[in-house]
Amino acid sequence: MTDPDPSARRLRTRVDLHGGRAAIRLTGEVDLGTVPGLRRAICACLGQHHPCALGLHFAGVSFCDCTGLNTLLWALLRGRPAPAAAQRTVCRLSRR
């Protein structure tokens, strides 16, 4: 049987919550094939947990192409609040 989402094997995400902050730990490759799953994980985290800060931890990432970098910019813009809203930090990168 064919795996319906082969990209799921190449990028794994894990959400860790610490108070009002969230961290998405990534393992695998961030590229054209895996970016849709990463975007879904970011949207789900922001929508379900409403963190005041979101960190994306790349310690387990072995490869990131330009679509991955573009997704980081997208996440930064997606996480920006309206001018009157409280400030939220999104996309703090870590290799630790």
Side-chain angles (χ1 to χ4, degrees):
M1 178 167 33
T2 304
D3 185 354
D5 186 8
S7 66
R9 294 177 300 195
R10 296 191 341 207
L11 179 67
R12 291 190 313 273
T13 60
R14 186 183 84 210
V15 177
D16 295 329
L17 301 173
H18 305 281
R21 299 175 184 271
I24 299 178
R25 299 191 184 281
L26 308 170
T27 305
E29 297 179 359
V30 181
D31 59 20
L32 182 62
T34 61
V35 158
L38 176 55
R39 284 184 181 227
R40 283 191 300 275
I42 291 168
C43 287
C45 183
L46 293 175
Q48 293 173 5
H49 305 296
H50 307 286
C52 64
L54 173 63
L56 299 176
H57 295 267
F58 272 62
V61 172
S62 58
F63 176 78
C64 182
D65 72 1
C66 61
T67 56
L69 295 176
N70 190 38
T71 299
L72 298 179
L73 293 173
W74 168 85
L76 179 64
L77 295 174
R78 174 129 170 89
R80 282 207 175 132
Q87 184 163 355
R88 173 169 53 186
T89 302
V90 174
C91 256
R92 182 172 168 244
L93 298 178
S94 172
R95 287 287 297 176
R96 290 184 261 151

